[in-house]
Amino acid sequence: EDEEELTLAEDGGDSERLDIEFTFFDPKPNDSPHIRALLQAGTLCNAAGANAVDLADLLSQQAAVGTVIKADDDVFGFISALPLQHLRSTSCVKPLLAFVNERCAQPLAKQALTALLSTKRSVGLIISERLINAPLQLVPDALDSFMQDIEWAKHNEEDHVLRAAFHFENLLLVAAVNPAEKFGGADTEPPTKKRKAKSGDKGKAIGLDWGQLQALHFTRVDEEALAYEAEWCAVLNSSAGAKHVLALLKPETVRQMVPKLREIMC
C-alpha cells in the first residue's frame, strides 16, 4: 500500500495539500472497462492490432498474476504477464505474438525468439499501462507486487496447467521508444560495438548493442532501465518506423531491478 501527496494551487495563489492513497489490488472482472481504456490509450495494443475489449477481459480475469493500481476506485495503471505458449490460440493474444515475432528487425534475435516460443519453457509477455499522471514512485512497488504474484502463482495456482504456465523462465517486455536514428531493416546486423556479454553468453551478440540503445529515447524510464539489463533487445519495426523495442528478461533480473528502480524513481 502506497500513499502519494499531491499539492493543488487555488485561484488565489494559495495551495491545498491533498493526501491520495494508492493501493494495489489483484485484477477483478469489473476492472475490465478501466483496463480496456488504458490499453486503448497505450501503444502496444494499437501497434499489434489486438482487440482491446477481449484483451482487457482476459487480463481482468487473470487474478493470480497481475497488479492493478487504484485510488478511490479509479484505476491509474496495471501490470500483468500473459503466458504466451498457453494462450497462443487465444484470439486477442495471436496479434501480440505475431507483432513481436514478425516485426523483430534483428535476424539473430528473431531466431532466438522463435526458438524460445517453440519450446515448452514458459515465456510471459508483460502488459503494462498507466495514466500519464500516475506517480512514478508507485512503479517500483507495482513491479515488486507483480513479481510476487508470479512467485505465488507458480507454487499455489489451483489449476495445474496454469501453475505450470506461470512458471516463467523468460519475460518479454515491449517498450515504446522514439528513435533518434533509423536502424536498418530485417537484414541489417548490429554494428561492431557489442553490448556487455551476459554470463554464459557464447558466440555473436544478439540484437541491439549499447550504442543503438543509447540512440533511442524510451517513453518510460523504468522500461529503459530494464532494457539495459536484458539478455538482448531488438527493434520491432512498423509501417511508421521503429516505435518499440523488445527486451528479453530473466525474472530474477526483474526482481533485482526493483531496489535500483526505487533509487531512480522514488
Side-chain angles (χ1 to χ4, degrees):
E1 183 175 297
D2 296 272
E3 184 174 300
E4 179 74 13
E5 291 185 349
L6 303 180
T7 301
L8 303 178
E10 297 180 339
D11 293 338
D14 296 330
S15 62
E16 178 183 356
R17 175 169 290 177
L18 299 178
D19 291 339
I20 300 178
E21 185 176 343
F22 294 89
T23 311
F24 301 148
F25 294 92
D26 292 333
K28 297 182 294 184
N30 61 6
D31 292 324
S32 183
H34 306 284
I35 293 175
R36 181 187 70 230
L38 289 168
L39 289 170
Q40 291 172 332
T43 62
L44 174 57
C45 196
N46 292 321
N51 186 307
V53 175
D54 292 344
L55 186 57
D57 286 343
L58 180 63
L59 291 166
S60 65
Q61 293 166 14
Q62 185 180 279
V65 172
T67 294
V68 178
I69 305 171
K70 292 184 179 181
D72 297 327
D73 293 327
D74 292 326
V75 175
F76 277 72
F78 73 91
I79 181 170
S80 186
L82 299 175
L84 290 179
Q85 288 98 325
H86 177 67
L87 297 171
R88 67 168 67 248
S89 61
T90 306
S91 60
C92 61
V93 176
K94 285 182 178 179
L96 297 172
L97 263 171
F99 178 68
V100 299
N101 205 14
E102 297 173 7
R103 302 293 183 89
C104 187
Q106 279 71 37
L108 289 178
K110 186 171 184 176
Q111 181 181 347
L113 178 62
T114 301
L116 278 175
L117 294 175
S118 65
T119 69
K120 294 183 178 180
R121 292 177 293 179
S122 187
V123 178
L125 176 63
I126 297 174
I127 309 286
S128 178
E129 299 292 353
R130 58 182 185 257
L131 294 178
I132 193 170
N133 62 339
L136 291 181
Q137 297 93 323
L138 297 176
V139 173
D141 288 334
L143 185 62
D144 187 30
S145 175
F146 162 66
M147 295 307 297
Q148 290 182 41
D149 287 344
I150 293 175
E151 190 65 23
W152 182 91
K154 71 183 186 181
H155 296 294
N156 298 288
E157 168 61 45
E158 293 182 1
D159 186 318
H160 73 279
V161 176
L162 279 177
R163 187 165 64 245
F166 289 138
H167 205 293
F168 298 126
E169 292 197 21
N170 294 282
L171 293 168
L172 292 174
L173 171 69
V174 178
V177 297
N178 296 314
E181 61 183 69
K182 185 176 180 181
F183 304 124
D187 295 328
T188 301
E189 290 292 337
T192 54
K193 183 180 178 183
K194 303 298 180 184
R195 296 182 65 202
K196 187 183 296 182
K198 294 286 183 178
S199 59
D201 282 355
K202 295 181 180 179
K204 195 171 184 180
I206 297 176
L208 302 177
D209 63 30
W210 289 114
Q212 290 174 317
L213 277 177
Q214 290 169 351
L216 295 170
H217 174 70
F218 284 75
T219 303
R220 297 175 178 172
V221 64
D222 49 309
E223 293 179 345
E224 180 177 17
L226 288 169
Y228 275 94
E229 298 299 322
E231 300 300 300
W232 51 259
C233 294
V235 169
L236 297 178
N237 284 331
S238 68
S239 58
K243 296 289 183 68
H244 294 87
V245 162
L246 178 68
L248 179 73
L249 295 155
K250 294 293 184 182
E252 183 59 31
T253 299
V254 179
R255 281 190 287 269
Q256 291 172 354
M257 282 298 295
V258 170
K260 296 180 182 179
L261 288 173
R262 287 194 179 106
E263 294 177 4
I264 295 171
M265 307 179 76
C266 299

